[in-house]
Short mmCIF file of all heavy atoms in Angstrom, two decimals:
data_model
loop_
_atom_site.label_atom_id
_atom_site.label_comp_id
_atom_site.label_asym_id
_atom_site.label_seq_id
_atom_site.Cartn_x
_atom_site.Cartn_y
_atom_site.Cartn_z
N ASP P 1 70.71 -50.53 47.63
CA ASP P 1 69.92 -50.60 48.87
C ASP P 1 70.81 -50.98 50.05
O ASP P 1 70.64 -50.46 51.16
CB ASP P 1 68.79 -51.62 48.72
CG ASP P 1 67.72 -51.16 47.76
OD1 ASP P 1 67.11 -50.11 48.02
OD2 ASP P 1 67.49 -51.84 46.75
N PHE P 2 71.75 -51.87 49.81
CA PHE P 2 72.69 -52.24 50.86
C PHE P 2 73.51 -51.02 51.29
O PHE P 2 73.71 -50.78 52.49
CB PHE P 2 73.62 -53.34 50.35
CG PHE P 2 74.69 -53.73 51.32
CD1 PHE P 2 74.46 -54.69 52.29
CD2 PHE P 2 75.96 -53.13 51.27
CE1 PHE P 2 75.45 -55.04 53.20
CE2 PHE P 2 76.95 -53.47 52.16
CZ PHE P 2 76.70 -54.44 53.13
N ALA P 3 73.98 -50.25 50.33
CA ALA P 3 74.78 -49.07 50.65
C ALA P 3 73.97 -48.05 51.43
O ALA P 3 74.48 -47.42 52.36
CB ALA P 3 75.32 -48.45 49.36
N LYS P 4 72.71 -47.91 51.08
CA LYS P 4 71.85 -46.96 51.79
C LYS P 4 71.74 -47.33 53.26
O LYS P 4 71.85 -46.48 54.16
CB LYS P 4 70.46 -46.94 51.13
CG LYS P 4 69.61 -45.73 51.44
CD LYS P 4 68.27 -45.80 50.69
CE LYS P 4 68.48 -45.87 49.19
NZ LYS P 4 67.19 -45.90 48.45
N ARG P 5 71.53 -48.61 53.53
CA ARG P 5 71.45 -49.07 54.93
C ARG P 5 72.80 -48.92 55.62
O ARG P 5 72.88 -48.50 56.78
CB ARG P 5 71.00 -50.53 54.95
CG ARG P 5 70.78 -51.08 56.36
CD ARG P 5 70.46 -52.57 56.34
NE ARG P 5 71.63 -53.38 56.00
CZ ARG P 5 71.65 -54.72 56.06
NH1 ARG P 5 70.56 -55.39 56.41
NH2 ARG P 5 72.74 -55.38 55.73
N ASP P 6 73.86 -49.25 54.90
CA ASP P 6 75.20 -49.19 55.48
C ASP P 6 75.58 -47.76 55.87
O ASP P 6 76.21 -47.54 56.92
CB ASP P 6 76.21 -49.75 54.48
CG ASP P 6 77.37 -50.46 55.15
OD1 ASP P 6 77.12 -51.15 56.16
OD2 ASP P 6 78.51 -50.34 54.68
N LEU P 7 75.18 -46.80 55.07
CA LEU P 7 75.52 -45.40 55.37
C LEU P 7 74.75 -44.91 56.58
O LEU P 7 75.25 -44.08 57.36
CB LEU P 7 75.23 -44.52 54.15
CG LEU P 7 76.07 -44.82 52.90
CD1 LEU P 7 75.75 -43.85 51.79
CD2 LEU P 7 77.55 -44.82 53.22
N ARG P 8 73.52 -45.39 56.76
CA ARG P 8 72.79 -45.03 57.97
C ARG P 8 73.49 -45.58 59.20
O ARG P 8 73.62 -44.91 60.22
CB ARG P 8 71.35 -45.56 57.89
CG ARG P 8 70.45 -45.03 59.01
CD ARG P 8 69.01 -45.46 58.86
NE ARG P 8 68.84 -46.88 59.14
CZ ARG P 8 68.40 -47.78 58.27
NH1 ARG P 8 68.10 -47.42 57.05
NH2 ARG P 8 68.26 -49.05 58.62
N TRP P 9 73.98 -46.82 59.10
CA TRP P 9 74.74 -47.40 60.21
C TRP P 9 76.04 -46.63 60.43
O TRP P 9 76.47 -46.42 61.58
CB TRP P 9 75.06 -48.86 59.91
CG TRP P 9 73.88 -49.77 59.98
CD1 TRP P 9 72.62 -49.46 60.42
CD2 TRP P 9 73.83 -51.15 59.59
NE1 TRP P 9 71.80 -50.57 60.33
CE2 TRP P 9 72.51 -51.61 59.83
CE3 TRP P 9 74.77 -52.03 59.07
CZ2 TRP P 9 72.11 -52.90 59.56
CZ3 TRP P 9 74.38 -53.33 58.80
CH2 TRP P 9 73.06 -53.76 59.04
N CYS P 10 76.68 -46.22 59.35
CA CYS P 10 77.93 -45.45 59.45
C CYS P 10 77.70 -44.17 60.24
O CYS P 10 78.45 -43.86 61.18
CB CYS P 10 78.46 -45.14 58.06
SG CYS P 10 79.90 -44.06 58.03
N LEU P 11 76.67 -43.42 59.87
CA LEU P 11 76.38 -42.18 60.59
C LEU P 11 76.07 -42.47 62.05
O LEU P 11 76.56 -41.77 62.96
CB LEU P 11 75.20 -41.46 59.92
CG LEU P 11 74.70 -40.20 60.64
CD1 LEU P 11 75.82 -39.19 60.81
CD2 LEU P 11 73.52 -39.59 59.89
N GLY P 12 75.26 -43.49 62.30
CA GLY P 12 74.91 -43.83 63.68
C GLY P 12 76.13 -44.20 64.50
O GLY P 12 76.26 -43.78 65.66
N ASN P 13 77.06 -44.98 63.92
CA ASN P 13 78.26 -45.36 64.66
C ASN P 13 79.18 -44.17 64.90
O ASN P 13 79.81 -44.06 65.96
CB ASN P 13 79.01 -46.45 63.90
CG ASN P 13 78.35 -47.81 64.05
OD1 ASN P 13 77.17 -47.91 64.34
ND2 ASN P 13 79.11 -48.87 63.85
N LEU P 14 79.26 -43.24 63.95
CA LEU P 14 80.10 -42.07 64.15
C LEU P 14 79.54 -41.16 65.24
O LEU P 14 80.29 -40.41 65.88
CB LEU P 14 80.25 -41.30 62.84
CG LEU P 14 81.05 -42.01 61.74
CD1 LEU P 14 81.11 -41.16 60.48
CD2 LEU P 14 82.46 -42.33 62.22
N GLN P 15 78.24 -41.23 65.47
CA GLN P 15 77.66 -40.46 66.57
C GLN P 15 78.20 -40.91 67.93
O GLN P 15 78.15 -40.15 68.90
CB GLN P 15 76.13 -40.59 66.57
CG GLN P 15 75.44 -39.82 65.45
CD GLN P 15 73.94 -40.00 65.51
OE1 GLN P 15 73.42 -41.12 65.53
NE2 GLN P 15 73.22 -38.89 65.56
N TYR P 16 78.74 -42.13 67.98
CA TYR P 16 79.31 -42.62 69.24
C TYR P 16 80.49 -41.77 69.69
O TYR P 16 80.87 -41.82 70.87
CB TYR P 16 79.76 -44.08 69.09
CG TYR P 16 78.67 -45.08 68.83
CD1 TYR P 16 78.97 -46.38 68.47
CD2 TYR P 16 77.32 -44.73 68.92
CE1 TYR P 16 77.97 -47.32 68.22
CE2 TYR P 16 76.32 -45.65 68.66
CZ TYR P 16 76.65 -46.94 68.31
OH TYR P 16 75.66 -47.87 68.07
N LEU P 17 81.07 -41.00 68.77
CA LEU P 17 82.16 -40.09 69.16
C LEU P 17 81.71 -39.15 70.27
O LEU P 17 82.52 -38.71 71.09
CB LEU P 17 82.64 -39.30 67.94
CG LEU P 17 83.44 -40.08 66.89
CD1 LEU P 17 83.52 -39.29 65.59
CD2 LEU P 17 84.82 -40.42 67.41
N LYS P 18 80.43 -38.82 70.27
CA LYS P 18 79.90 -37.91 71.28
C LYS P 18 79.42 -38.64 72.53
O LYS P 18 78.89 -38.01 73.45
CB LYS P 18 78.74 -37.09 70.69
CG LYS P 18 79.18 -36.17 69.55
CD LYS P 18 78.08 -35.17 69.21
CE LYS P 18 78.59 -34.15 68.20
NZ LYS P 18 77.62 -33.04 67.98
N LEU P 19 79.60 -39.96 72.56
CA LEU P 19 79.13 -40.74 73.70
C LEU P 19 80.27 -41.43 74.45
O LEU P 19 80.02 -42.14 75.44
CB LEU P 19 78.14 -41.82 73.22
CG LEU P 19 76.83 -41.30 72.63
CD1 LEU P 19 76.08 -42.42 71.92
CD2 LEU P 19 75.94 -40.69 73.71
N LEU P 20 81.49 -41.23 74.01
CA LEU P 20 82.61 -41.93 74.63
C LEU P 20 82.87 -41.49 76.06
O LEU P 20 83.54 -42.20 76.82
CB LEU P 20 83.88 -41.72 73.79
CG LEU P 20 83.86 -42.36 72.39
CD1 LEU P 20 85.15 -42.05 71.65
CD2 LEU P 20 83.64 -43.86 72.49
N ASP P 21 82.35 -40.32 76.43
CA ASP P 21 82.56 -39.83 77.80
C ASP P 21 81.38 -40.16 78.72
O ASP P 21 81.28 -39.60 79.82
CB ASP P 21 82.81 -38.33 77.81
CG ASP P 21 81.64 -37.53 77.22
OD1 ASP P 21 80.75 -38.16 76.62
OD2 ASP P 21 81.64 -36.30 77.36
N LEU P 22 80.49 -41.06 78.29
CA LEU P 22 79.40 -41.47 79.18
C LEU P 22 79.99 -42.00 80.49
O LEU P 22 80.91 -42.83 80.47
CB LEU P 22 78.55 -42.56 78.52
CG LEU P 22 77.54 -42.12 77.47
CD1 LEU P 22 76.92 -43.35 76.79
CD2 LEU P 22 76.44 -41.25 78.07
N PRO P 23 79.49 -41.56 81.63
CA PRO P 23 80.11 -41.97 82.90
C PRO P 23 79.81 -43.41 83.27
O PRO P 23 78.77 -43.97 82.91
CB PRO P 23 79.49 -41.00 83.91
CG PRO P 23 78.16 -40.62 83.32
CD PRO P 23 78.38 -40.61 81.83
N ASP P 24 80.75 -44.01 83.99
CA ASP P 24 80.58 -45.31 84.66
C ASP P 24 80.37 -46.49 83.72
O ASP P 24 79.87 -47.54 84.14
CB ASP P 24 79.40 -45.25 85.66
CG ASP P 24 79.58 -44.16 86.70
OD1 ASP P 24 80.72 -43.97 87.15
OD2 ASP P 24 78.58 -43.50 87.05
N LEU P 25 80.75 -46.35 82.45
CA LEU P 25 80.67 -47.51 81.57
C LEU P 25 81.75 -48.51 81.92
O LEU P 25 82.84 -48.15 82.36
CB LEU P 25 80.84 -47.09 80.10
CG LEU P 25 79.76 -46.24 79.46
CD1 LEU P 25 80.08 -46.04 77.98
CD2 LEU P 25 78.38 -46.86 79.62
N LYS P 26 81.46 -49.79 81.71
CA LYS P 26 82.47 -50.82 81.86
C LYS P 26 83.55 -50.61 80.78
O LYS P 26 83.23 -50.18 79.66
CB LYS P 26 81.85 -52.22 81.69
CG LYS P 26 80.81 -52.57 82.74
CD LYS P 26 81.45 -52.80 84.09
CE LYS P 26 80.42 -53.20 85.14
NZ LYS P 26 81.03 -53.36 86.47
N PRO P 27 84.81 -50.90 81.10
CA PRO P 27 85.85 -50.76 80.07
C PRO P 27 85.53 -51.51 78.78
O PRO P 27 85.76 -51.01 77.68
CB PRO P 27 87.10 -51.33 80.76
CG PRO P 27 86.85 -51.13 82.22
CD PRO P 27 85.37 -51.31 82.40
N MET P 28 84.96 -52.71 78.93
CA MET P 28 84.61 -53.49 77.75
C MET P 28 83.52 -52.78 76.94
O MET P 28 83.54 -52.79 75.70
CB MET P 28 84.13 -54.88 78.19
CG MET P 28 83.82 -55.82 77.05
SD MET P 28 85.30 -56.27 76.14
CE MET P 28 84.55 -57.04 74.71
N SER P 29 82.57 -52.16 77.62
CA SER P 29 81.50 -51.45 76.93
C SER P 29 82.05 -50.23 76.18
O SER P 29 81.65 -49.95 75.04
CB SER P 29 80.43 -51.00 77.93
OG SER P 29 79.81 -52.11 78.54
N ARG P 30 82.97 -49.51 76.81
CA ARG P 30 83.56 -48.35 76.13
C ARG P 30 84.37 -48.80 74.91
O ARG P 30 84.37 -48.14 73.87
CB ARG P 30 84.43 -47.57 77.12
CG ARG P 30 84.50 -46.07 76.81
CD ARG P 30 85.29 -45.31 77.86
NE ARG P 30 84.69 -45.37 79.18
CZ ARG P 30 83.71 -44.58 79.60
NH1 ARG P 30 83.20 -43.68 78.76
NH2 ARG P 30 83.23 -44.67 80.82
N PHE P 31 85.05 -49.94 75.06
CA PHE P 31 85.79 -50.49 73.92
C PHE P 31 84.84 -50.79 72.77
O PHE P 31 85.16 -50.55 71.59
CB PHE P 31 86.53 -51.76 74.35
CG PHE P 31 87.02 -52.58 73.19
CD1 PHE P 31 88.17 -52.23 72.51
CD2 PHE P 31 86.32 -53.71 72.76
CE1 PHE P 31 88.62 -52.98 71.42
CE2 PHE P 31 86.76 -54.46 71.70
CZ PHE P 31 87.92 -54.09 71.01
N GLN P 32 83.65 -51.32 73.07
CA GLN P 32 82.70 -51.66 72.01
C GLN P 32 82.28 -50.42 71.21
O GLN P 32 82.11 -50.49 69.99
CB GLN P 32 81.47 -52.35 72.62
CG GLN P 32 81.75 -53.76 73.09
CD GLN P 32 80.57 -54.36 73.85
OE1 GLN P 32 79.92 -53.66 74.65
NE2 GLN P 32 80.31 -55.62 73.64
N LEU P 33 82.12 -49.30 71.90
CA LEU P 33 81.77 -48.06 71.19
C LEU P 33 82.93 -47.62 70.30
O LEU P 33 82.71 -47.21 69.14
CB LEU P 33 81.41 -46.96 72.19
CG LEU P 33 80.17 -47.21 73.06
CD1 LEU P 33 79.93 -46.03 73.99
CD2 LEU P 33 78.93 -47.46 72.21
N VAL P 34 84.15 -47.67 70.83
CA VAL P 34 85.32 -47.30 70.03
C VAL P 34 85.44 -48.22 68.82
O VAL P 34 85.72 -47.78 67.69
CB VAL P 34 86.59 -47.36 70.89
CG1 VAL P 34 87.83 -47.16 70.02
CG2 VAL P 34 86.55 -46.31 71.99
N TRP P 35 85.22 -49.51 69.05
CA TRP P 35 85.36 -50.48 67.97
C TRP P 35 84.31 -50.25 66.88
O TRP P 35 84.61 -50.41 65.69
CB TRP P 35 85.24 -51.89 68.55
CG TRP P 35 85.87 -52.91 67.67
CD1 TRP P 35 85.25 -53.91 66.99
CD2 TRP P 35 87.25 -53.01 67.34
NE1 TRP P 35 86.16 -54.64 66.27
CE2 TRP P 35 87.41 -54.10 66.47
CE3 TRP P 35 88.38 -52.27 67.70
CZ2 TRP P 35 88.63 -54.48 65.95
CZ3 TRP P 35 89.61 -52.65 67.19
CH2 TRP P 35 89.71 -53.75 66.33
N ALA P 36 83.10 -49.88 67.28
CA ALA P 36 82.05 -49.59 66.30
C ALA P 36 82.42 -48.38 65.44
O ALA P 36 82.11 -48.34 64.24
CB ALA P 36 80.72 -49.35 67.01
N ILE P 37 83.08 -47.40 66.05
CA ILE P 37 83.55 -46.24 65.29
C ILE P 37 84.64 -46.65 64.31
O ILE P 37 84.62 -46.28 63.13
CB ILE P 37 84.06 -45.15 66.25
CG1 ILE P 37 82.93 -44.63 67.14
CG2 ILE P 37 84.70 -44.00 65.47
CD1 ILE P 37 83.39 -43.78 68.30
N LEU P 38 85.60 -47.45 64.78
CA LEU P 38 86.72 -47.87 63.93
C LEU P 38 86.26 -48.71 62.75
O LEU P 38 86.91 -48.73 61.70
CB LEU P 38 87.74 -48.66 64.75
CG LEU P 38 88.72 -47.84 65.60
CD1 LEU P 38 89.62 -48.77 66.40
CD2 LEU P 38 89.55 -46.91 64.72
N MET P 39 85.14 -49.41 62.91
CA MET P 39 84.63 -50.24 61.82
C MET P 39 84.43 -49.41 60.56
O MET P 39 84.69 -49.87 59.44
CB MET P 39 83.31 -50.90 62.23
CG MET P 39 82.70 -51.77 61.15
SD MET P 39 81.26 -52.69 61.69
CE MET P 39 80.05 -51.38 61.86
N PHE P 40 84.00 -48.16 60.73
CA PHE P 40 83.77 -47.31 59.56
C PHE P 40 84.93 -46.37 59.29
O PHE P 40 85.20 -46.04 58.13
CB PHE P 40 82.47 -46.53 59.74
CG PHE P 40 81.24 -47.38 59.55
CD1 PHE P 40 80.54 -47.87 60.64
CD2 PHE P 40 80.81 -47.74 58.29
CE1 PHE P 40 79.43 -48.68 60.48
CE2 PHE P 40 79.70 -48.55 58.11
CZ PHE P 40 79.01 -49.02 59.21
N LEU P 41 85.66 -45.92 60.31
CA LEU P 41 86.83 -45.08 60.07
C LEU P 41 87.90 -45.83 59.28
O LEU P 41 88.68 -45.24 58.55
CB LEU P 41 87.43 -44.60 61.40
CG LEU P 41 86.69 -43.49 62.14
CD1 LEU P 41 87.45 -43.11 63.40
CD2 LEU P 41 86.50 -42.27 61.24
N GLY P 42 87.94 -47.16 59.43
CA GLY P 42 88.92 -47.95 58.71
C GLY P 42 88.69 -47.97 57.21
O GLY P 42 89.64 -48.18 56.44
N LEU P 43 87.45 -47.73 56.75
CA LEU P 43 87.16 -47.82 55.32
C LEU P 43 87.79 -46.70 54.52
O LEU P 43 88.44 -46.95 53.49
CB LEU P 43 85.64 -47.88 55.10
CG LEU P 43 84.95 -49.10 55.73
CD1 LEU P 43 83.46 -49.07 55.47
CD2 LEU P 43 85.56 -50.40 55.21
#
């Protein structure tokens, strides 16, 4: 059950790849999206 939830989060975080070009984000906010992607790419 944990893995099932984790994989849903993984897919959701990888979707951020399509959101990195959102305009006018704060640098810290853009970093947070990148960091959320790396959390799963690192595995």
Side-chain angles (χ1 to χ4, degrees):
D1 291 300
F2 176 87
K4 199 178 301 182
R5 185 186 71 173
D6 213 38
L7 296 183
R8 189 175 72 241
W9 288 352
C10 174
L11 174 57
N13 284 23
L14 293 179
Q15 287 180 306
Y16 295 170
L17 288 165
K18 296 193 173 188
L19 295 168
L20 294 178
D21 60 348
L22 282 172
D24 302 322
L25 292 184
K26 297 289 182 183
M28 184 67 192
S29 297
R30 209 176 297 277
F31 166 79
Q32 288 172 320
L33 296 181
V34 172
W35 202 246
I37 296 168
L38 279 178
M39 179 173 71
F40 286 101
L41 285 182
L43 298 180

